Amino acid sequence: MAAPGKYPRVRLDSKKVDLYGATAQSVLIQPRLMNQPQQEETVGTTSTTNTASPSLTERVRSLAANVQRTRSTVTDVGGSSNNHPTPRPQSYHGRFTDSDSTFRERFVRNLGKAHSLPERLQAVREASKEIEIHSGDTLMELWAVSKDLTLPSASEEERKIGYVLLVASAKHTGLARAERMTLFDMIVVPVEPRQFVLQMHALDNLTGHGRNLDPFQTPLIEFLLKSLRKHFQATLQTRFSLENRSTLENRSTLENRSTLENRSTLENRSTLENLPESEGFHALLFLITDVIEHNPDAYQGNQVYFLIDRVATTIQRSGDRTDISGAVSIFKALIQASAIPPSCMKACVESLLPVSSTTGSSTQDSREKAWHALTFLLKSPSKTAVLDITLSVPSKAPQDRYTFTTRGAMRIFKHLTSANNTDELPELSCKRLINALEQVYMIPEANLDVLKVINMALSNETLILAFIHEDWEPMMRIITWIAYNNNNPNGGALGDPLAHARSTLFSPSLRSWSTASLNSSNNHKGEDGVLNALKDIMKILESLSSGVDVRKRSLMAEFFSRVGTEHLSVMALNLLITQIVDDGMLLPRYAEYIQNQASFVKTFILDASMPQESRIKALQVIKELFCQMRSDDDKRHFGRLVTTIMSNISDVKDVMIMNAFADLAAEYATDAELEDYKAILAILRKMSVLEDFNSQSTSPTTALTNVLETNMAAAYLVRLFLRCLQTSGVKAILVYDMLVDLGTSVEGPIHARLTAMKLLTRLRCDRDLAIVVLPIPDTLELASILNRTEASIVSFNGSENGGDRPATREEQHPIRVGRSSGVNLVGLNSSRSNTRSASGQERYSKPAPPLWMYPEEVGSPEEPPDGASPLVYADNQGSENDHVVKLGPWLAGIINLLQQGCDWELYSYILVHLPSQLGNPALFSGAISSVRMLRNVVVSRLQSGTLQEPPPSTGVKKGDVALCLFHSLNMLLGYNEHFGRSEQDEVVRTILGGIGAWDRVAQCCIHALSICCHEIPLSIARSLTGILQKMSQIITQSHLARDILEFLGGLARLPGVYVNLTEKELRTVFAICIKYLEHSREQRLKLLRGSTAGANYASNRHSGIVGETGPFSDSNQGTETHKDLPQYVFALAYHVITIWFLSLKLADRSNHVGWITRNLAWKNASGVEIMEEQSQVTLDMMHRTAYLDLGETLPITFYPEDGKVVSVTWLVGLSLLTVETAVGTGVTQLIKRQASGTTYARYQQNTAPLPAHHVPAPTDIVSSARGLEARINVFPNHIFLQLMSNISPTPAPMEPICLPDDDFIKRAISTFDRNDTVDGHKIGVIYIGEGQTSETEILANSHGSEAYEMLLSGLGTKIQLQGASFNTQGLDRTANADGTHTYAWRDRITEIVFHATTMMPTNAEDPQCTGKKKHIGNDFVNIIFNESGLPFKFDTFRSQFNFVNIVITPEAFMLPCRKTGAGNELSADHKPEVADGITLGESGESSQDNKFYMKTATQAASAPLQSTEDVVSTAQEYRESQSYFRIQTLVDPSFPDISPAASYKLVSASALPGLIRQISLNASVFSLVWANREGGEHVSSWRNRLRAIVKLRERFVNTGTSTSAKFPGAKQEKNYIEGDQWRGTVAMGGLAEEEGVLAGLDFSRWAGANPGVI
């Protein structure tokens, strides 16, 4: 088998070897692959065992019996080829017919000299077929009679016959050493060159293809070496004889082989290769190869030298491909055997190099062998010597020809430079490599290879590290010369190109970069490979340019300057530009700098063929150059330069280049004279009015060009405005006016108008009215509504795929978010859809892609300046600023567009961004008339429903448009002081009309009404009846439950708003709550059963307002129960019922008890009416408050004269009644503990004096004798019986249970009393000062601003902590550890304690403020008063309990208020009742405005009002200091959006405290429910108290003489029978009628109606 990695080869082709010349008789030589053993067939098996060694004959016979005879086809010497095997003689087992004796008889006699030559030939032919299976003795006998056939004296014909027999005999495998030696001697006798092939074939057979050289190894080696020289010469002479000898000799070298191949025909080549001499020589080469492979040590000493010399000579002199292949095989075998002496390595390498670089398929075999041998050497111990030899090749090669040897060396160089030194290759020195390349780079044919080697060397990770520190001049000389030579084919006429390069190119700086030299790009030779290689090298050099020294970059620039600008890459051009700048050729210190600047502009800027980035860089150079100008003359010259550039701007079509032009213009215009500035503006304005790209008369190409130009014109204006904000107020106002005119124009290019609009909508002002430009406005919510965010696009696609629409949004809108440096040209490329393009009308019917998306990478062509402008201000009445922007025209333009309609891209942009800008009232303080006009337009559009229809392809509905307008109307509420009464009322009616008019707007409208309750309460009061009716109509939309109930809960705390509601209208409030209770029960059951997805809240957040992010209707939204959290709706509904019941007039409360009671009950799965726990505490509350409105009670004080006090407690129904009686005087305290509260009452019998004739009873005498302490006149039991019982029989379930006076009962009562009678909430209040961002510095604040302190005072009442008797929610009440005071707020059912961090002590020993963090970190809700000037980040205070942050940000400026309150009067029938101290004027409106009225109304329950004079003064102070705040509720990512401030709202200072308190209270309730959603439900304090009472009943109900009935009976019904007349059910600690519990629960039936004395 062949050794691994060695190529198989054909030893002798299947050709006829001519033995007789003209007779054409031949013997076919069997083809064989190199190193393949001869295949044999097994024909039988015979085993012979002898004590003595078997004779040769026995061995042969055994071999014949066990080894299959080789099937070889022998051609009939005297006739045609016979391809069929000769029938075999019979074997010992009957398969053969002849024996050795028969064989001898047949052939020995016929081979004798007595026979004629033809007879002997015939005998040889026949004997050759069977000779292998007979014994060696027979073979020797055969040769004894035919020996004369091989003698030198034999004729040529005889020797041919003899070699036929020798070839066959040599295959015999049973010969002894002597017999093999005899055959060898017979074979190696001298023969003619034509017979050498048979001699080689015989030797090949005898040696087993080089494997077995015994016993003739030494003579064989000598014979082969001699034959190698002799027969090579003979072969060459024979070949020469076929052609003209002199011509053939010149062509037959390897260097001219390509010429030989071109001039020789295929027929001539075949003739040369088929010569017997050639075939014999080929067989010799292959045999030598086999010998070396199987016997590596066969050649010794000088034999190796001689062999290498002969083989190298063969390669050098022979032009025959098979000669070369065989010679290369010998070298390969020697190399693999490590048999190349060091002194012969040079000859070996130089012989293999040209072969490895040949081309063409005919030389592939030898080329691959040579390359394999060379690569083997490069990994061998001799690799360094091989590398040295290869590096020396170019220096010895001819300088005018690119020889194959040099090509081979170049291939080695490529291999070494591409290997990254990971294959154990020799280390290549960069310097030596470049020295070698210097010898050949001027040969044109070598240029490409030289460049490839350099390219690979520069790409080699190992070489480049060393190469960075080498001298680059030799390498740059090479590539620069090649670049020069290829770009200047006639360069020779100018002199020696190399000398020219050396004298001009490699200089410290560029000496010439004129247009002619840079643009010399005539490539007459058309050598694209060289050009591409140069480009590859340029890319590598570009990547290295930043890490090399100045000298190397200068060399790079010299090289780039010779390539030609159209061939240079962007980086190459940029490096060239950089070198020009570094050389200072554009600066005034250079003598010809003016000409250089002009030439630079012409070459790099005005040349349209220059790459985009290079032109931009050149423009940047010019811009930076302007910054270095000092003298006026230089600046004037620069102005002319800019004028030249700007005059050509209309020819620029590339967006990025136009951006660079704009940058330059803006840089220059900032310092330009006013006249020059106006000229630039005129140019830009002219460009901005080009024909719109949507025009039908414009071709697509022209349209796109116009789009770019008009949009860029607007971008220029925007940039100028941004620059001038900081430098020139006059210039800023000029360009602002132009932008307003462009942005609000009804006609004109959409892109340009949109670009102007993007700036104008980002304008804001600070508290000093200084103009600020926002980088990105906060408009995410509204953008998602109009499908202008990625999330909303995905949502729209999902809904569309599930619907009936055939196409997806992606097919209609291939969105590309972002834009190039300053201009958003989304969708302007030719690929406007990712679907297969249509043809004809279908193609043009597809909608255009959107021009804007949110968020945009950059909102303007460049980043706006940080901070406010020091020069430009917003207009304001009475402003003394010199440069003011007037917002009136901008609002007027918006109004015009809203009224007349415009392109959807502009219309949608206004809808999304206008509300955010309106949230900055100071900006529009000088445009109040325009604001009022805007209000009128928005209201009229919403009332009439005349809204612009969105394109169907956008997936946006008219309801979405209405929703955006409602957000604008929400913001306009902040300007309500500038609206008349009718305008305010109209706003409320419009908001009310929006509920149910469009899908998805109901929630926004309800939130707006919540704001109106605090901003314009009188207008809400006038529309309250309609509001309640509307909400009762939409109660089927369950997704609005939370919003409606929160609205009603907040409204209940504004008595001045609802004071005129009738009983029927109040009943509507309760009906809404009852309806949502029913729905909540259903949802809770579903959640418990796991039948709804709402059981697990989905944590993924929508990008917009909750419920308003997808194209779903209200009904669809109702299915998302997780947003409502049924537990919260359940708790909130009861909360609203309670607070509204307590808000009723005392005289009206009992009228609602029966109706509420009946509707609180519900039937369980068994159909039994039950009262759930929350309903029971609600009933308990009504029981306590239906006839009482005195508020909380206090325990009485017993005095010593009252005597001993005895206390007894009874369980009475679902209450605890404790009677404490002074047994001496009868003074009694009744303590009734119920779920909803505890009542302390005093009871004393009014005992009459005894008549004079009254005889004292014996007990009286005894008591008097013992004294007051011992006197007992009354027991608590008497008091209890007097109040609770009579002589009528008491049913057992109704019997009160007297509790024992033991420690357990005392502990139970004490624990019960610790349960608050109101629900407590803790809410953090945090102040963030200017620039503060970290938690530590924020918590360290010990005080806040005046606005912050005003907020705190409005949230509640300042109370002292030390000794406080209420639940301070964790604040220390003993040692002032958490401060001395805090703010708190409380009503009949709720108490809020505010954890204000500024009121807590800041200790130096606690730098991390952990004392404060422990409170706010555990608060579910925090109020953040943010005056940092930075956006608040939710994770500023990291805590797992902070669910909600209500962020309050003071607005910029305090707007002036109206001087009168006229126009806001109420009708005579609906004049609200207000708190004491507030009088109503004749118009029905309080003498103070809505704001102050709101404050007094919301604080009436918690703080007494001042005198009328103080009130008027306070109201005046509020009007004069009215400020505005933006509020927004931020929630934890796992939390749903809640509250009316889910999107930010604008709120006035007077409305702020009440609104924030209500939002924070709702958020706290929601958080409590949310925190317990997994492990159960949140239990209120009332329910805790109820459960404590029920537990006592369960403990004591079965003791003593009491009934064995179980309480409460709602779960386990048990009938009680009194005779046969009455049947009832034990329920809730009492007896209920058989029909149900409801009749027994309505206490108002038997308590009686209110007397009505109020």
Side-chain angles (χ1 to χ4, degrees), residues 1247-1391:
T1247 305
L1250 293 176
H1253 58 279
H1254 180 79
V1255 178
T1259 56
D1260 294 334
I1261 297 173
V1262 175
S1263 297
S1264 298
R1266 292 180 178 179
L1268 181 63
E1269 290 295 328
R1271 189 175 71 226
I1272 299 177
N1273 293 328
V1274 62
F1275 282 109
N1277 309 69
H1278 168 75
I1279 306 300
F1280 180 79
L1281 288 175
Q1282 291 296 312
L1283 296 176
M1284 301 298 297
S1285 180
N1286 54 56
I1287 63 172
S1288 301
T1290 302
M1294 293 295 295
E1295 293 177 358
I1297 301 173
C1298 185
L1299 300 177
D1301 188 16
D1302 56 17
D1303 291 339
F1304 174 81
I1305 293 300
K1306 292 179 181 179
R1307 287 195 303 271
I1309 293 176
S1310 176
T1311 302
F1312 181 90
D1313 288 341
R1314 283 197 296 271
N1315 280 306
D1316 291 333
T1317 58
V1318 293
D1319 285 333
H1321 298 272
K1322 52 182 181 178
I1323 297 172
V1325 184
I1326 304 170
Y1327 175 77
I1328 304 179
E1330 184 176 358
Q1332 292 181 341
T1333 57
S1334 68
E1335 176 185 285
T1336 303
E1337 62 181 346
I1338 293 173
L1339 294 181
N1341 290 326
S1342 58
H1343 60 84
S1345 64
E1346 181 181 353
Y1348 166 76
E1349 298 295 341
M1350 184 178 294
L1351 170 68
L1352 276 180
S1353 62
L1355 288 176
T1357 302
K1358 190 175 183 179
I1359 56 173
Q1360 184 175 342
L1361 286 174
Q1362 191 168 16
S1365 58
F1366 62 95
N1367 183 357
T1368 59
Q1369 299 297 331
L1371 297 179
D1372 179 63
R1373 292 183 286 183
T1374 59
N1376 293 331
D1378 296 317
T1380 60
H1381 292 77
T1382 191
Y1383 281 90
W1385 179 91
R1386 175 171 175 154
D1387 63 7
R1388 296 284 293 274
I1389 61 175
T1390 305
E1391 182 177 65

Side-chain angles (χ1 to χ4, degrees), residues 1003-1300:
Q1003 186 183 58
C1004 176
C1005 292
I1006 295 172
H1007 291 170
L1009 290 175
S1010 298
I1011 304 298
C1012 291
C1013 287
H1014 296 267
E1015 290 287 1
I1016 46 177
L1018 297 182
S1019 295
I1020 288 290
R1022 286 188 281 267
S1023 299
L1024 189 56
T1025 301
I1027 292 173
L1028 295 178
Q1029 290 176 351
K1030 177 67 71 174
M1031 291 187 175
S1032 67
Q1033 295 170 0
I1034 62 173
I1035 56 177
T1036 57
Q1037 300 180 19
S1038 58
H1039 70 285
L1040 298 176
R1042 171 165 48 87
D1043 305 295
I1044 292 176
L1045 292 174
E1046 287 180 350
F1047 170 78
L1048 294 176
L1051 182 64
R1053 291 185 168 90
L1054 303 174
V1057 177
Y1058 63 80
V1059 66
N1060 288 323
L1061 288 179
T1062 64
E1063 182 176 340
K1064 181 179 179 181
E1065 293 167 344
L1066 289 170
R1067 187 70 55 81
T1068 302
V1069 175
F1070 296 120
I1072 293 172
C1073 297
I1074 296 298
K1075 184 65 179 179
Y1076 282 129
L1077 278 178
E1078 295 173 355
H1079 173 74
S1080 176
R1081 293 186 185 112
E1082 295 174 359
Q1083 294 300 317
R1084 292 171 68 199
L1085 288 175
K1086 290 181 180 179
L1087 289 174
L1088 292 174
R1089 296 168 185 166
S1091 60
T1092 176
N1096 295 319
Y1097 177 73
S1099 62
N1100 57 311
R1101 304 297 307 277
H1102 291 280
S1103 60
I1105 303 172
V1106 64
E1108 299 178 354
T1109 57
F1112 305 106
S1113 66
D1114 287 343
S1115 59
N1116 290 336
Q1117 291 178 357
T1119 63
E1120 301 183 26
T1121 57
H1122 66 271
K1123 292 182 180 179
D1124 299 329
L1125 196 59
Q1127 298 94 320
Y1128 174 64
V1129 175
F1130 180 77
L1132 190 59
Y1134 279 111
H1135 175 82
V1136 174
I1137 290 175
T1138 301
I1139 193 171
W1140 270 96
F1141 185 83
L1142 295 175
S1143 300
L1144 295 174
K1145 296 177 182 178
L1146 184 62
D1148 297 335
R1149 291 178 186 174
S1150 61
N1151 300 336
H1152 297 274
V1153 170
W1155 187 90
I1156 294 174
T1157 301
R1158 289 193 301 274
N1159 286 279
L1160 284 179
W1162 64 292
K1163 293 184 179 181
N1164 61 13
S1166 302
V1168 178
E1169 288 183 332
I1170 62 174
M1171 278 285 185
E1172 53 199 350
E1173 199 173 65
Q1174 186 66 49
S1175 297
Q1176 294 178 38
V1177 298
T1178 303
L1179 286 174
D1180 186 83
M1181 176 274 302
M1182 293 192 296
H1183 190 275
R1184 290 185 63 249
T1185 60
Y1187 301 97
L1188 173 71
D1189 204 16
L1190 292 179
E1192 300 290 335
T1193 59
L1194 295 173
I1196 68 172
T1197 302
F1198 289 97
Y1199 298 98
E1201 57 267 24
D1202 292 325
K1204 182 179 180 179
V1205 178
V1206 179
S1207 176
V1208 181
T1209 301
W1210 286 267
L1211 268 172
V1212 182
L1214 293 180
S1215 67
L1216 290 172
L1217 181 59
T1218 300
V1219 180
E1220 295 179 349
T1221 302
V1223 295
T1225 62
V1227 176
T1228 300
Q1229 176 173 243
L1230 302 176
I1231 306 174
K1232 188 175 184 180
R1233 295 177 172 89
Q1234 296 175 247
S1236 60
T1238 299
T1239 302
Y1240 297 91
R1242 181 186 182 96
Y1243 175 86
Q1244 186 173 14
Q1245 179 177 318
N1246 190 10
T1247 305
L1250 293 176
H1253 58 279
H1254 180 79
V1255 178
T1259 56
D1260 294 334
I1261 297 173
V1262 175
S1263 297
S1264 298
R1266 292 180 178 179
L1268 181 63
E1269 290 295 328
R1271 189 175 71 226
I1272 299 177
N1273 293 328
V1274 62
F1275 282 109
N1277 309 69
H1278 168 75
I1279 306 300
F1280 180 79
L1281 288 175
Q1282 291 296 312
L1283 296 176
M1284 301 298 297
S1285 180
N1286 54 56
I1287 63 172
S1288 301
T1290 302
M1294 293 295 295
E1295 293 177 358
I1297 301 173
C1298 185
L1299 300 177

Side-chain angles (χ1 to χ4, degrees), residues 433-451:
L433 175 63
I434 296 301
N435 290 339
L437 297 180
E438 281 188 300
Q439 308 302 319
V440 297
Y441 74 92
M442 290 188 184
I443 303 174
E445 293 81 7
N447 286 172
L448 182 57
D449 285 338
V450 170
L451 294 177

Side-chain angles (χ1 to χ4, degrees), residues 9-19 24-32 73-75 81 83 197-198 201 266-280 282-283 286 320-322:
R9 66 174 181 271
V10 176
R11 176 173 296 278
L12 290 175
D13 291 337
S14 178
K15 302 179 179 69
K16 294 180 180 180
V17 180
D18 189 2
L19 300 179
Q25 293 178 333
S26 61
V27 176
L28 182 65
I29 307 300
Q30 176 70 22
R32 179 175 66 83
T73 303
V74 181
T75 303
S81 174
N83 294 327
V197 62
L198 293 175
H201 193 44
L266 184 60
E267 180 180 357
N268 290 335
R269 177 182 295 175
S270 177
T271 301
L272 293 175
E273 292 179 350
N274 290 337
L275 290 173
E277 292 84 348
S278 296
E279 293 186 346
H282 297 161
F286 296 144
D320 184 80
R321 60 185 179 183
T322 310

